[in-house]
């Protein structure tokens, strides 16, 4: 029986859902790779490896050595380096590859978005006057706030920000989505937030802060995604499964 070998670069809910679907089908061998940046990652339904690969060439070597047939980049939309490495590794090895990317959030009536290209650009766009800023970009982007110490920051992340940012006015909250509209609205009111810095991550788990900002009339500095990877992009788990079925028809999986 021929069982395709699939490497999923994960860390997102979509990666976990895809792994669950493939595990339930039990017609391929799946390895889920996590970067290891989260201290307590959620349980996964397939074998997992933790840690980076050491660059694009090392990822290519890993794919070849493991005899993989498909690489699926289901990392966070802002994990730009690993996505670039994945595209390079797929191209150099000739292994099929797709990227599973949730759709971007779209501006709707009532949103007060200002599109910015990066977290530093968002911090600069806050202006010189002190503001109460909800920095909802995760711990890795928090240090950019040091460029504008006049503001009061609320920093939310899954794991603690280490080292902590060098600012006089900063509060930290540790929490993991999905978040509720009521909870986000209360958080924004409690800290007198008048502007949010957010990445356009897409998905439902963290969208409540965008809805709450709309209801409260709060401005959002929306950090745009980088250009899409050069591999084929699908935006749902179902679409990814359809690609897998196209690449590896059921007859092939049965060894017919």
């Amino acid at each position: 029986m021929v069982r395709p070998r699939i490497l999923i670069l994960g860390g997102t809910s979509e990666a976990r859902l895809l792994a669950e679907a493939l595990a339930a089908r039990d017609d391929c061998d799946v390895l889920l790779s996590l970067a290891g940046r989260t201290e307590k990652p959620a349980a996964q339904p397939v074998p997992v490896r933790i840690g980076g690969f050491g660059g694009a060439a090392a990822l290519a070597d890993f794919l070849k050595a493991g005899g993989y047939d498909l690489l699926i980049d289901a990392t966070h939309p802002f994990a730009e380096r690993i996505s670039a490495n994945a595209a390079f590794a797929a191209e150099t090895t000739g292994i099929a590859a797709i990227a599973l990317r949730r759709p971007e959030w779209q501006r709707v009536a009532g949103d007060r978005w200002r599109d910015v290209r990066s977290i530093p650009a968002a911090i600069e766009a806050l202006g010189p006057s002190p503001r109460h800023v909800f920095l909802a970009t995760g711990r890795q982007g928090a240090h950019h706030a040091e460029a504008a110490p006049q503001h009061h920051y609320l920093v939310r992340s899954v794991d603690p920000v280490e080292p902590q940012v060098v600012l006089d006015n900063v509060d930290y909250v540790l929490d993991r989505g999905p978040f509720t509209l009521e909870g986000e609205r209360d958080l924004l009111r409690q800290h007198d937030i008048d502007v949010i810095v957010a990445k356009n991550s897409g998905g439902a788990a963290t969208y409540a802060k965008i809805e709450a900002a709309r209801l409260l009339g709060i401005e959002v500095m929306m950090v745009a995604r980088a250009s899409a990877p050069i591999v084929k992009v699908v935006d749902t788990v179902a679409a990814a499964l359809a690609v897998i079925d196209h690449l590896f028809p059921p007859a092939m999986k049965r060894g017919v």
Side-chain angles (χ1 to χ4, degrees):
M1 180 177 179
V2 178
R3 291 173 62 89
R5 290 179 59 78
I6 299 174
L7 176 64
I8 301 175
L9 306 179
T12 60
S13 58
E14 290 81 12
R16 189 185 72 254
L17 291 171
L18 177 60
E20 286 178 354
L22 292 173
R25 288 166 35 151
D26 193 29
D27 57 2
C28 54
D29 294 325
V30 180
L31 177 65
L32 179 61
S33 178
L34 302 176
R37 293 187 179 129
T38 301
E39 291 180 0
K40 298 179 181 179
Q44 303 292 341
V46 297
V48 173
R49 72 174 294 279
I50 303 291
F53 292 91
L59 174 56
D61 290 341
F62 184 91
L63 290 167
K64 288 186 291 185
Y68 286 94
D69 302 292
L70 175 63
L71 173 63
I72 300 177
D73 174 12
T75 58
H76 191 275
F78 283 84
E80 295 155 13
R81 180 175 298 176
I82 185 60
S83 291
N85 288 349
F88 174 88
E91 183 178 10
T92 56
T93 59
I95 294 171
I98 60 173
L100 174 54
R101 290 281 181 273
R102 66 186 79 146
E104 293 179 312
W105 294 322
Q106 300 296 323
R107 184 187 274 104
V108 302
D111 282 330
R112 295 179 55 207
W113 291 10
R114 188 186 306 190
D115 295 318
V116 291
R117 68 184 183 278
S118 64
I119 298 174
I123 299 298
E124 183 178 357
L126 294 172
S129 300
R131 306 183 69 175
H132 285 73
V133 184
F134 179 22
L135 192 59
T137 56
R139 62 174 179 167
Q140 293 183 330
H143 68 279
H144 292 296
E146 295 174 0
Q150 71 271 27
H151 307 299
H152 194 123
Y153 294 94
L154 173 65
V155 178
R156 182 167 68 192
S157 57
V158 174
D159 297 314
V161 177
E162 296 176 353
Q164 293 191 345
V165 295
V166 184
L167 292 168
D168 291 333
N169 299 313
V170 58
D171 294 315
Y172 297 94
V173 57
L174 297 180
D175 207 352
R176 183 198 299 264
F179 301 103
T180 66
L181 174 58
E182 182 179 10
E184 296 293 71
R185 185 181 58 197
D186 291 346
L187 182 71
L188 296 175
R189 284 174 169 166
Q190 177 185 348
H191 293 272
D192 295 321
I193 299 299
D194 59 75
V195 60
I196 298 173
V197 177
K199 297 176 179 177
N200 195 334
S201 301
T206 61
Y207 185 64
K209 65 176 176 285
I210 307 301
E211 292 182 290
R214 184 187 310 133
L215 290 174
L216 298 175
I218 293 173
E219 184 178 22
V220 177
M221 301 292 182
M222 187 64 77
V223 181
R225 296 184 187 180
S227 57
I230 59 175
V231 301
K232 175 182 176 64
V233 178
V234 296
D235 60 11
T236 65
V237 170
L241 293 171
V243 171
I244 293 170
D245 285 337
H246 176 74
L247 290 171
F248 313 111
M252 174 184 171
K253 296 172 191 173
R254 293 195 304 267
V256 175

